[in-house]
Structures are given as structure tokens and as C-alpha cells.
Amino acid sequence: MDNIRDNLFTQLPPEVIHQIICFLSGSIHYNEFDFFNKRSKEELKQYILPLENIKTLNNLINYTSKDLRDNLFLKTSTNEGLEESNNTELQLSLFEKHWLNCYNFQEILLYWIRTSDLDNLQLGTGDISITEMIEMCKIQNLIQCKERGKIMSELKEAENPHYCDYTFYYEDNDDEKEKDTVPFNNKDKAQQDLKERFKRLALNEKDYYLQQQQEGNNNNIFDLFIFKSLILSLSVNEYFDCDMKDLWEVDSRYLLPSEKIDQWFGDIDYSIPEWLRGKVYKISDNLYNKMIGLSIEDPLGWERFITNTKFIPPEDEKEEERKAIEKRKQGKENEEKNSISLGPMLTESEVKEKLLKFIFLNLKNVAFFGEQFKNYTFPNSIQILSLYFNSHDFYYNRPKEECNNLFENVTFPNVKYLRIFVDESLFEDECFGGEEENDMNGNVLKSLILKRLLQKNRFPKLNHLVLNGVVSEGTLFEGCDEELIKQLMTIEMTLDREHEEKCKDIFESINGLNPQLLKYVVIQTPLDPRSDTIGSVSFNELQDFYAESSFVFSIGYHSIAQYYHICNE
């Protein structure tokens, strides 16, 4: 059968095969692409690979013989002795070089798309003094120069006179006018620095070799290219936490539009307001076939999923609201929950069959999987995983030793993007837990979540880690698997209100890690020049962030959105 499948390819010269591969995957080198004159998202989106191309490339792996598959996609270089020599020229195959180039173009295209909104800022706005406004204009100049290669001819370009209490012309103050100088106004220097930034983002041949040498690393360059292409093709980047414009965007927790998600709710509490309880979609067969993501919400949602007993929303939700509110008044709200009837338990292979169609998985308040699935290995189809916690349900009424074994021994062998989101509302109480002796404050639980999750044997292919609201009082990544931290190429962090002042400590902590492969770090950065704002990062401090990092540093658009939200308070 393999010979029949390979017949087309084996009769073609490698150069022709390479041309076919280039047609499907693109062959633009990032050094040759004019990023400076292609800045808008709409213009850049035409360079995103269509999903059909990605599927076709993936199918070529599945339907060719092992030898041909290794030559075209999976071959890795040995280059023994490289680490002892000064030779940086690796003997990569023609196709390895191609996939490395394709990966780097997708990586830098993703960066250029996600930072495009930074071109259009007006940070000189809000209830701030003239001195504070000049500080914010300088911060804008710094951000745009470092992240976008864009300069200003004068600082007042960053001013929004319609929404600012003071303007550059509000008062004739010589001391303030002396500050009105543009720190970054050399266009050639800004663009050269941006080229260097792209070069640092790219995975060079020596980086690739070091990655392949890591113990237990199964990520070949074709894998990385496919993953990065999927992020762009599925528009997952439009829901990145660090880039969110809308501070209350619901779909951000899914990383995909809701209509592409097969949702498994435990139950819906119709006695709470509609905006708090989530939307349950009535799914047609046509819509179901287009779904590429799966969301399992709450422990009961997991039980429903593994018993194939889906929650069916009522025809008249308003009437259900009225009944639920009446039951709550009468103290009978738990009667129906206790009478939920579930079907027979599915086997592991049956659960795998259900999961195979999904690329993305969201688990909300699910940290235990039951006796039958406590050692479960999720299928390779799952590459993007979001773990979201906003309720004590995943933890409540469990013995202490069981609580210390969060996530049990489940593994996700092909997950490359992991997002851990802990809602700050979960920790409004000082202590909580099932048994009285098992009370645990929020910071301890956050640390436990990270320790239990960030293990190489659980995520052997992880390279993109996103933490939202998970910062605790302890040292970042304390107790986590060092081997997993070493393999990370991207780290993104969004802070809850309680820990925004730790931004500088987080930067220093990540910078101190200095893992060889860490390329890109995005940290939500508090920007507020008013002197009474604790933890806000100044122009000089932000300049140090860009200059001193061993990786490419970004603030993410969420930092801008937060400033716009608070600047008039």
C-alpha cells in the first residue's frame, strides 16, 4: 500500500517535490519580506496559509511511507560534536531548511499581525498633568519604536487633545517645554533595530539543533510550522489574553469563536443573570461538522462527556428562569441537580474517538477525571489547551491527599499551547476547601496548580505557555519541572488586579531564567504615570525592559486597553 501511495512522489526529482511543497506551504523568507510597508492586519492576512493547505500537508505525512515521510517532513540533523566546536553551519537537508524558513516566516508574521494595533495609539490622554502626559507620550514613542519600527517627529503626535485635561499648548512652561523632546526619532536606526528584533524571534539553525538535543523533545521543525500556521489560520491570535482590547471579552477564554466550540455544560443555573451563566448553543448537524474546539465545563460537564449525556437547553429559557428563581426562594434549587440521570460510562477508546476531531480543548473547573480516566492520555489531535478556573467546584469536598493530586496523571502528548486562567473571583474568600483541615488560600492553590501542571511528562511538546491571573506570592515557577521550562519558546502573562505591582519582579524572574530557547515574552505592563499608582512602569523602567531582556519583550495591547480604561479615573 505504501508503494502505491508513494508512486507519484518517487517518480519525481527532489526539486520538483520541493516546488510542490513550496506551493502548499509558501516559501517567503522573512528577511526578504517588506514588513515596513505592510502594516495593516487586512493586508497581512493574505499571507496566512489557508486551512486547506495545512490539512493537505498534514495528510501527506499520514499517507506516505516512513522513509519518504522522514525525508520530506521529519528528518532531524545529528551534527554530532557541534556543541564542542565553533562551527555554526549545520548540515540541514533541503526540506529541513525549507520548514525552518516556513516556521520563521509564520512566527514573525504572527508577531507583526498581533502588534499591528500598536501603530495607532494616543497615550497622551486622560486625567493627567502636563508632566504626566509628556511621560505617556514618551512611553508611546518607545513602544512604537521598539515593537513596530515607528518614530515620531514630535511628542504631541501622541496627544489626544479632545480627551486630555492638559495639552502641549495649555501652559507656556519652559521647564516642561525642555522635556518635549522625542527620544526615538531616527527612522533608519528604528528599522535596523526592528530587523534585529525579527532575527532574535527567528529560530536559527543552531537554536533548532539545541532544541533537538533536549531530552525527550519530540517537536520537529515541521510540527512547529504546522502549529504556528494553525494559530494564524484559525485566528486563535485574535483571542490572546495579552492582546485583548475588550476587557470583558467572553470568547477569549475559548480562544475561538463560540460557534466553533462543542460545549458540554454540567448544568445551567437559570436563577443567576443571563450574562453570568454563559450561552448554550442549539447545534445543527451542519454547524457541528464545522466545530474544531471542545469545551467541557465543571465536573458534571466531564461526567456528561464521558457518559455521552449532553445537557439540552430548554425551549423557553425565560420560563426556566422564572421556575429557577421560584425554586431558590423556596429552598428547593438542589432537588433537580440530585436527580440528574447519566448514561453508561464510555470506554477510553470511545472517548478518544469523540476527541479526535478537535484541535482545541477548554476545561473549565475540571481538575479530576475519575477512576477510569485518572491516567488518561489525550489524543494527539489536541494541540491547544485552555484550563479555566472560576469556581471552587473542582476542589470542593475532596480529601486533602486527593486535592494535592490535581490533574492526576493525565497527559497531553501533543499540546504545544497551554493557557492557564485563574479568575480572581475564585480567591475572594481568604480560605476555602472541602474538609475543614483542607483549607487553602488562593496563593497556595495557584502555586499547586502550576506545580502539578508544569511537568514535562504531562506536556512533552509544550512550547507556548500563557498564564492569566496565576501569579502568586512565591517565586515564579518554583517547584515546576525545570526541563519543561527550558523547552518553552514563548511565555505570556496577564496579571490580576491584586498582583499588577509584581510586573517588574516577574520580568526579572523570567529574564533570570535565561533558557536557551526562550524567544518571546509578553507581560501585561501597568502604564499609569500618576504618582499614587502602585507598581506602574515608568518610561525609564520600560526602556530597561526592552534593552536588558535576553528575549524579545512585548507589553501586549491589553496593557494599552487597561490604561485607556483607567486614565480618566
Side-chain angles (χ1 to χ4, degrees), residues 339-375:
S339 65
I340 291 174
S341 177
L342 301 174
M345 186 84 69
L346 301 178
T347 65
E348 289 190 20
S349 60
E350 288 171 329
V351 171
K352 179 179 180 180
E353 189 67 28
K354 290 181 67 177
L355 289 166
L356 278 174
K357 68 169 288 188
F358 301 112
I359 296 170
F360 165 76
L361 173 63
N362 176 58
L363 295 176
K364 176 185 173 186
N365 299 322
V366 176
F368 300 94
F369 299 86
E371 187 64 28
Q372 182 175 332
F373 294 92
K374 65 181 181 181
N375 299 312

mmCIF file of all heavy atoms in Angstrom, residues 339-375:
data_model
loop_
_atom_site.group_PDB
_atom_site.id
_atom_site.type_symbol
_atom_site.label_atom_id
_atom_site.label_comp_id
_atom_site.label_asym_id
_atom_site.label_seq_id
_atom_site.Cartn_x
_atom_site.Cartn_y
_atom_site.Cartn_z
ATOM 1 N N SER A 339 -31.228 14.726 40.884
ATOM 2 C CA SER A 339 -31.958 13.730 40.114
ATOM 3 C C SER A 339 -31.435 13.577 38.686
ATOM 4 O O SER A 339 -32.069 12.929 37.868
ATOM 5 C CB SER A 339 -33.449 14.114 40.061
ATOM 6 O OG SER A 339 -33.624 15.320 39.348
ATOM 7 N N ILE A 340 -30.251 14.185 38.370
ATOM 8 C CA ILE A 340 -29.690 14.083 37.028
ATOM 9 C C ILE A 340 -29.331 12.636 36.722
ATOM 10 O O ILE A 340 -28.662 11.963 37.512
ATOM 11 C CB ILE A 340 -28.448 14.985 36.896
ATOM 12 C CG1 ILE A 340 -28.867 16.456 36.930
ATOM 13 C CG2 ILE A 340 -27.697 14.688 35.604
ATOM 14 C CD1 ILE A 340 -27.712 17.420 36.957
ATOM 15 N N SER A 341 -29.782 12.147 35.591
ATOM 16 C CA SER A 341 -29.531 10.767 35.182
ATOM 17 C C SER A 341 -28.480 10.746 34.080
ATOM 18 O O SER A 341 -28.637 11.415 33.050
ATOM 19 C CB SER A 341 -30.833 10.125 34.688
ATOM 20 O OG SER A 341 -30.588 8.820 34.235
ATOM 21 N N LEU A 342 -27.379 10.020 34.292
ATOM 22 C CA LEU A 342 -26.298 9.918 33.321
ATOM 23 C C LEU A 342 -26.310 8.546 32.665
ATOM 24 O O LEU A 342 -26.744 7.559 33.266
ATOM 25 C CB LEU A 342 -24.943 10.162 33.996
ATOM 26 C CG LEU A 342 -24.760 11.513 34.688
ATOM 27 C CD1 LEU A 342 -23.426 11.548 35.424
ATOM 28 C CD2 LEU A 342 -24.845 12.660 33.693
ATOM 29 N N GLY A 343 -25.800 8.490 31.435
ATOM 30 C CA GLY A 343 -25.738 7.224 30.716
ATOM 31 C C GLY A 343 -24.573 6.376 31.183
ATOM 32 O O GLY A 343 -23.829 6.746 32.094
ATOM 33 N N PRO A 344 -24.381 5.193 30.575
ATOM 34 C CA PRO A 344 -23.259 4.316 30.953
ATOM 35 C C PRO A 344 -21.915 4.946 30.584
ATOM 36 O O PRO A 344 -21.813 5.695 29.607
ATOM 37 C CB PRO A 344 -23.522 3.045 30.141
ATOM 38 C CG PRO A 344 -24.377 3.485 28.991
ATOM 39 C CD PRO A 344 -25.208 4.612 29.497
ATOM 40 N N MET A 345 -20.891 4.616 31.345
ATOM 41 C CA MET A 345 -19.556 5.159 31.114
ATOM 42 C C MET A 345 -18.983 4.664 29.793
ATOM 43 O O MET A 345 -19.049 3.465 29.483
ATOM 44 C CB MET A 345 -18.623 4.747 32.261
ATOM 45 C CG MET A 345 -17.252 5.365 32.212
ATOM 46 S SD MET A 345 -17.221 7.000 32.940
ATOM 47 C CE MET A 345 -17.476 6.594 34.677
ATOM 48 N N LEU A 346 -18.419 5.572 28.997
ATOM 49 C CA LEU A 346 -17.749 5.185 27.764
ATOM 50 C C LEU A 346 -16.379 4.582 28.065
ATOM 51 O O LEU A 346 -15.786 4.839 29.119
ATOM 52 C CB LEU A 346 -17.575 6.398 26.848
ATOM 53 C CG LEU A 346 -18.840 7.143 26.415
ATOM 54 C CD1 LEU A 346 -18.455 8.346 25.556
ATOM 55 C CD2 LEU A 346 -19.788 6.228 25.655
ATOM 56 N N THR A 347 -15.856 3.797 27.132
ATOM 57 C CA THR A 347 -14.502 3.273 27.285
ATOM 58 C C THR A 347 -13.495 4.355 26.891
ATOM 59 O O THR A 347 -13.845 5.367 26.276
ATOM 60 C CB THR A 347 -14.290 2.044 26.388
ATOM 61 O OG1 THR A 347 -14.390 2.457 25.012
ATOM 62 C CG2 THR A 347 -15.335 0.976 26.674
ATOM 63 N N GLU A 348 -12.227 4.121 27.217
ATOM 64 C CA GLU A 348 -11.184 5.086 26.853
ATOM 65 C C GLU A 348 -11.108 5.274 25.340
ATOM 66 O O GLU A 348 -10.926 6.392 24.850
ATOM 67 C CB GLU A 348 -9.833 4.621 27.403
ATOM 68 C CG GLU A 348 -9.725 4.727 28.916
ATOM 69 C CD GLU A 348 -8.307 4.491 29.406
ATOM 70 O OE1 GLU A 348 -7.368 4.616 28.596
ATOM 71 O OE2 GLU A 348 -8.143 4.197 30.603
ATOM 72 N N SER A 349 -11.241 4.202 24.586
ATOM 73 C CA SER A 349 -11.163 4.310 23.124
ATOM 74 C C SER A 349 -12.368 5.067 22.573
ATOM 75 O O SER A 349 -12.245 5.809 21.590
ATOM 76 C CB SER A 349 -11.067 2.924 22.491
ATOM 77 O OG SER A 349 -12.200 2.136 22.819
ATOM 78 N N GLU A 350 -13.534 4.904 23.184
ATOM 79 C CA GLU A 350 -14.723 5.637 22.740
ATOM 80 C C GLU A 350 -14.582 7.132 23.022
ATOM 81 O O GLU A 350 -14.987 7.971 22.213
ATOM 82 C CB GLU A 350 -15.975 5.084 23.427
ATOM 83 C CG GLU A 350 -16.398 3.712 22.918
ATOM 84 C CD GLU A 350 -17.507 3.091 23.749
ATOM 85 O OE1 GLU A 350 -17.570 3.355 24.977
ATOM 86 O OE2 GLU A 350 -18.308 2.329 23.185
ATOM 87 N N VAL A 351 -14.000 7.472 24.164
ATOM 88 C CA VAL A 351 -13.741 8.877 24.481
ATOM 89 C C VAL A 351 -12.722 9.456 23.507
ATOM 90 O O VAL A 351 -12.868 10.582 23.015
ATOM 91 C CB VAL A 351 -13.262 9.026 25.936
ATOM 92 C CG1 VAL A 351 -12.770 10.441 26.208
ATOM 93 C CG2 VAL A 351 -14.380 8.673 26.912
ATOM 94 N N LYS A 352 -11.698 8.670 23.195
ATOM 95 C CA LYS A 352 -10.688 9.120 22.230
ATOM 96 C C LYS A 352 -11.332 9.406 20.874
ATOM 97 O O LYS A 352 -11.021 10.405 20.217
ATOM 98 C CB LYS A 352 -9.599 8.059 22.080
ATOM 99 C CG LYS A 352 -8.518 8.444 21.076
ATOM 100 C CD LYS A 352 -7.441 7.368 20.975
ATOM 101 C CE LYS A 352 -6.379 7.781 19.955
ATOM 102 N NZ LYS A 352 -5.319 6.761 19.830
ATOM 103 N N GLU A 353 -12.244 8.536 20.455
ATOM 104 C CA GLU A 353 -12.924 8.725 19.172
ATOM 105 C C GLU A 353 -13.690 10.043 19.154
ATOM 106 O O GLU A 353 -13.727 10.754 18.147
ATOM 107 C CB GLU A 353 -13.873 7.551 18.925
ATOM 108 C CG GLU A 353 -14.487 7.512 17.536
ATOM 109 C CD GLU A 353 -13.468 7.243 16.449
ATOM 110 O OE1 GLU A 353 -12.439 6.587 16.728
ATOM 111 O OE2 GLU A 353 -13.696 7.713 15.320
ATOM 112 N N LYS A 354 -14.300 10.410 20.289
ATOM 113 C CA LYS A 354 -15.021 11.679 20.379
ATOM 114 C C LYS A 354 -14.075 12.876 20.295
ATOM 115 O O LYS A 354 -14.415 13.929 19.761
ATOM 116 C CB LYS A 354 -15.818 11.756 21.690
ATOM 117 C CG LYS A 354 -17.004 10.818 21.774
ATOM 118 C CD LYS A 354 -17.743 10.988 23.093
ATOM 119 C CE LYS A 354 -18.416 12.350 23.187
ATOM 120 N NZ LYS A 354 -19.204 12.514 24.420
ATOM 121 N N LEU A 355 -12.867 12.697 20.838
ATOM 122 C CA LEU A 355 -11.918 13.807 20.930
ATOM 123 C C LEU A 355 -11.141 14.044 19.642
ATOM 124 O O LEU A 355 -10.609 15.141 19.428
ATOM 125 C CB LEU A 355 -10.921 13.545 22.066
ATOM 126 C CG LEU A 355 -11.455 13.645 23.505
ATOM 127 C CD1 LEU A 355 -10.455 13.034 24.477
ATOM 128 C CD2 LEU A 355 -11.735 15.093 23.870
ATOM 129 N N LEU A 356 -11.059 13.054 18.775
ATOM 130 C CA LEU A 356 -10.144 13.107 17.641
ATOM 131 C C LEU A 356 -10.428 14.234 16.657
ATOM 132 O O LEU A 356 -9.530 14.664 15.934
ATOM 133 C CB LEU A 356 -10.148 11.761 16.900
ATOM 134 C CG LEU A 356 -9.257 10.674 17.515
ATOM 135 C CD1 LEU A 356 -9.457 9.358 16.787
ATOM 136 C CD2 LEU A 356 -7.794 11.093 17.467
ATOM 137 N N LYS A 357 -11.649 14.730 16.583
ATOM 138 C CA LYS A 357 -11.977 15.784 15.611
ATOM 139 C C LYS A 357 -11.590 17.174 16.088
ATOM 140 O O LYS A 357 -11.681 18.140 15.343
ATOM 141 C CB LYS A 357 -13.470 15.749 15.270
ATOM 142 C CG LYS A 357 -14.388 16.151 16.405
ATOM 143 C CD LYS A 357 -15.815 16.357 15.916
ATOM 144 C CE LYS A 357 -15.930 17.618 15.109
ATOM 145 N NZ LYS A 357 -17.319 17.977 14.772
ATOM 146 N N PHE A 358 -11.129 17.287 17.350
ATOM 147 C CA PHE A 358 -10.891 18.602 17.937
ATOM 148 C C PHE A 358 -9.406 18.938 18.015
ATOM 149 O O PHE A 358 -8.586 18.112 18.400
ATOM 150 C CB PHE A 358 -11.517 18.687 19.331
ATOM 151 C CG PHE A 358 -13.002 18.443 19.331
ATOM 152 C CD1 PHE A 358 -13.535 17.299 19.921
ATOM 153 C CD2 PHE A 358 -13.866 19.332 18.717
ATOM 154 C CE1 PHE A 358 -14.898 17.071 19.917
ATOM 155 C CE2 PHE A 358 -15.234 19.114 18.710
ATOM 156 C CZ PHE A 358 -15.752 17.977 19.311
ATOM 157 N N ILE A 359 -9.099 20.188 17.678
ATOM 158 C CA ILE A 359 -7.735 20.721 17.809
ATOM 159 C C ILE A 359 -7.581 21.448 19.139
ATOM 160 O O ILE A 359 -6.523 21.420 19.759
ATOM 161 C CB ILE A 359 -7.441 21.697 16.647
ATOM 162 C CG1 ILE A 359 -7.473 20.957 15.313
ATOM 163 C CG2 ILE A 359 -6.105 22.402 16.829
ATOM 164 C CD1 ILE A 359 -7.443 21.888 14.114
ATOM 165 N N PHE A 360 -8.668 22.085 19.572
ATOM 166 C CA PHE A 360 -8.657 22.909 20.791
ATOM 167 C C PHE A 360 -9.532 22.273 21.869
ATOM 168 O O PHE A 360 -10.616 21.756 21.584
ATOM 169 C CB PHE A 360 -9.172 24.306 20.478
ATOM 170 C CG PHE A 360 -9.538 25.114 21.695
ATOM 171 C CD1 PHE A 360 -8.549 25.677 22.491
ATOM 172 C CD2 PHE A 360 -10.862 25.286 22.068
ATOM 173 C CE1 PHE A 360 -8.882 26.402 23.625
ATOM 174 C CE2 PHE A 360 -11.199 26.010 23.190
ATOM 175 C CZ PHE A 360 -10.199 26.573 23.968
ATOM 176 N N LEU A 361 -9.058 22.322 23.114
ATOM 177 C CA LEU A 361 -9.831 21.817 24.257
ATOM 178 C C LEU A 361 -9.801 22.845 25.375
ATOM 179 O O LEU A 361 -8.741 23.340 25.761
ATOM 180 C CB LEU A 361 -9.234 20.496 24.758
ATOM 181 C CG LEU A 361 -9.821 19.919 26.055
ATOM 182 C CD1 LEU A 361 -11.299 19.557 25.883
ATOM 183 C CD2 LEU A 361 -9.028 18.692 26.509
ATOM 184 N N ASN A 362 -10.994 23.184 25.877
ATOM 185 C CA ASN A 362 -11.119 24.045 27.048
ATOM 186 C C ASN A 362 -11.711 23.216 28.194
ATOM 187 O O ASN A 362 -12.770 22.611 28.045
ATOM 188 C CB ASN A 362 -12.043 25.232 26.755
ATOM 189 C CG ASN A 362 -12.289 26.097 27.982
ATOM 190 O OD1 ASN A 362 -11.356 26.621 28.578
ATOM 191 N ND2 ASN A 362 -13.550 26.241 28.375
ATOM 192 N N LEU A 363 -11.016 23.174 29.312
ATOM 193 C CA LEU A 363 -11.522 22.506 30.512
ATOM 194 C C LEU A 363 -11.751 23.572 31.566
ATOM 195 O O LEU A 363 -10.807 24.226 32.022
ATOM 196 C CB LEU A 363 -10.515 21.464 31.028
ATOM 197 C CG LEU A 363 -10.239 20.265 30.104
ATOM 198 C CD1 LEU A 363 -9.164 19.376 30.702
ATOM 199 C CD2 LEU A 363 -11.521 19.461 29.855
ATOM 200 N N LYS A 364 -13.005 23.764 31.937
ATOM 201 C CA LYS A 364 -13.346 24.779 32.923
ATOM 202 C C LYS A 364 -13.693 24.094 34.245
ATOM 203 O O LYS A 364 -14.629 23.291 34.327
ATOM 204 C CB LYS A 364 -14.545 25.608 32.438
ATOM 205 C CG LYS A 364 -15.036 26.628 33.445
ATOM 206 C CD LYS A 364 -16.296 27.314 32.942
ATOM 207 C CE LYS A 364 -16.901 28.219 34.013
ATOM 208 N NZ LYS A 364 -18.200 28.773 33.595
ATOM 209 N N ASN A 365 -12.920 24.404 35.278
ATOM 210 C CA ASN A 365 -13.123 23.838 36.614
ATOM 211 C C ASN A 365 -13.089 22.313 36.605
ATOM 212 O O ASN A 365 -13.793 21.651 37.369
ATOM 213 C CB ASN A 365 -14.453 24.322 37.217
ATOM 214 C CG ASN A 365 -14.501 25.827 37.375
ATOM 215 O OD1 ASN A 365 -13.498 26.448 37.721
ATOM 216 N ND2 ASN A 365 -15.646 26.429 37.100
ATOM 217 N N VAL A 366 -12.265 21.751 35.724
ATOM 218 C CA VAL A 366 -12.089 20.293 35.671
ATOM 219 C C VAL A 366 -10.633 19.998 36.016
ATOM 220 O O VAL A 366 -9.727 20.369 35.280
ATOM 221 C CB VAL A 366 -12.429 19.726 34.279
ATOM 222 C CG1 VAL A 366 -12.149 18.219 34.239
ATOM 223 C CG2 VAL A 366 -13.875 20.013 33.909
ATOM 224 N N ALA A 367 -10.408 19.353 37.154
ATOM 225 C CA ALA A 367 -9.048 19.009 37.576
ATOM 226 C C ALA A 367 -8.941 17.555 38.009
ATOM 227 O O ALA A 367 -7.860 17.090 38.346
ATOM 228 C CB ALA A 367 -8.599 19.917 38.720
ATOM 229 N N PHE A 368 -10.066 16.836 38.004
ATOM 230 C CA PHE A 368 -10.097 15.413 38.337
ATOM 231 C C PHE A 368 -10.933 14.703 37.283
ATOM 232 O O PHE A 368 -11.948 15.224 36.827
ATOM 233 C CB PHE A 368 -10.692 15.195 39.729
ATOM 234 C CG PHE A 368 -9.914 15.872 40.828
ATOM 235 C CD1 PHE A 368 -10.270 17.134 41.278
ATOM 236 C CD2 PHE A 368 -8.806 15.250 41.381
ATOM 237 C CE1 PHE A 368 -9.552 17.770 42.269
ATOM 238 C CE2 PHE A 368 -8.068 15.890 42.378
ATOM 239 C CZ PHE A 368 -8.436 17.143 42.824
ATOM 240 N N PHE A 369 -10.506 13.495 36.898
ATOM 241 C CA PHE A 369 -11.091 12.843 35.730
ATOM 242 C C PHE A 369 -11.745 11.499 36.041
ATOM 243 O O PHE A 369 -12.204 10.813 35.132
ATOM 244 C CB PHE A 369 -10.017 12.682 34.657
ATOM 245 C CG PHE A 369 -9.462 14.006 34.196
ATOM 246 C CD1 PHE A 369 -8.422 14.622 34.875
ATOM 247 C CD2 PHE A 369 -10.003 14.668 33.103
ATOM 248 C CE1 PHE A 369 -7.920 15.856 34.470
ATOM 249 C CE2 PHE A 369 -9.517 15.905 32.691
ATOM 250 C CZ PHE A 369 -8.472 16.494 33.375
ATOM 251 N N GLY A 370 -11.802 11.134 37.319
ATOM 252 C CA GLY A 370 -12.464 9.895 37.690
ATOM 253 C C GLY A 370 -11.520 8.704 37.651
ATOM 254 O O GLY A 370 -10.472 8.719 36.996
ATOM 255 N N GLU A 371 -11.891 7.643 38.344
ATOM 256 C CA GLU A 371 -11.039 6.469 38.500
ATOM 257 C C GLU A 371 -10.628 5.885 37.151
ATOM 258 O O GLU A 371 -9.466 5.523 36.950
ATOM 259 C CB GLU A 371 -11.780 5.407 39.333
ATOM 260 C CG GLU A 371 -10.932 4.198 39.697
ATOM 261 C CD GLU A 371 -9.762 4.546 40.603
ATOM 262 O OE1 GLU A 371 -9.863 5.527 41.378
ATOM 263 O OE2 GLU A 371 -8.741 3.830 40.528
ATOM 264 N N GLN A 372 -11.567 5.799 36.210
ATOM 265 C CA GLN A 372 -11.274 5.166 34.925
ATOM 266 C C GLN A 372 -10.329 5.999 34.065
ATOM 267 O O GLN A 372 -9.598 5.463 33.232
ATOM 268 C CB GLN A 372 -12.578 4.916 34.160
ATOM 269 C CG GLN A 372 -12.390 4.207 32.826
ATOM 270 C CD GLN A 372 -13.711 3.865 32.168
ATOM 271 O OE1 GLN A 372 -14.716 3.677 32.841
ATOM 272 N NE2 GLN A 372 -13.720 3.796 30.844
ATOM 273 N N PHE A 373 -10.298 7.322 34.284
ATOM 274 C CA PHE A 373 -9.539 8.207 33.394
ATOM 275 C C PHE A 373 -8.417 8.956 34.110
ATOM 276 O O PHE A 373 -7.866 9.911 33.551
ATOM 277 C CB PHE A 373 -10.490 9.215 32.735
ATOM 278 C CG PHE A 373 -11.473 8.578 31.795
ATOM 279 C CD1 PHE A 373 -12.717 8.178 32.248
ATOM 280 C CD2 PHE A 373 -11.152 8.369 30.464
ATOM 281 C CE1 PHE A 373 -13.624 7.579 31.392
ATOM 282 C CE2 PHE A 373 -12.053 7.781 29.595
ATOM 283 C CZ PHE A 373 -13.293 7.372 30.063
ATOM 284 N N LYS A 374 -8.048 8.542 35.309
ATOM 285 C CA LYS A 374 -7.045 9.305 36.054
ATOM 286 C C LYS A 374 -5.645 9.188 35.443
ATOM 287 O O LYS A 374 -4.761 9.985 35.743
ATOM 288 C CB LYS A 374 -7.027 8.892 37.516
ATOM 289 C CG LYS A 374 -6.584 7.462 37.785
ATOM 290 C CD LYS A 374 -6.634 7.175 39.286
ATOM 291 C CE LYS A 374 -6.171 5.758 39.593
ATOM 292 N NZ LYS A 374 -6.243 5.482 41.054
ATOM 293 N N ASN A 375 -5.422 8.181 34.582
ATOM 294 C CA ASN A 375 -4.144 8.035 33.878
ATOM 295 C C ASN A 375 -4.323 8.218 32.368
ATOM 296 O O ASN A 375 -3.523 7.717 31.579
ATOM 297 C CB ASN A 375 -3.539 6.657 34.154
ATOM 298 C CG ASN A 375 -3.262 6.441 35.625
ATOM 299 O OD1 ASN A 375 -2.671 7.290 36.289
ATOM 300 N ND2 ASN A 375 -3.700 5.304 36.156
#
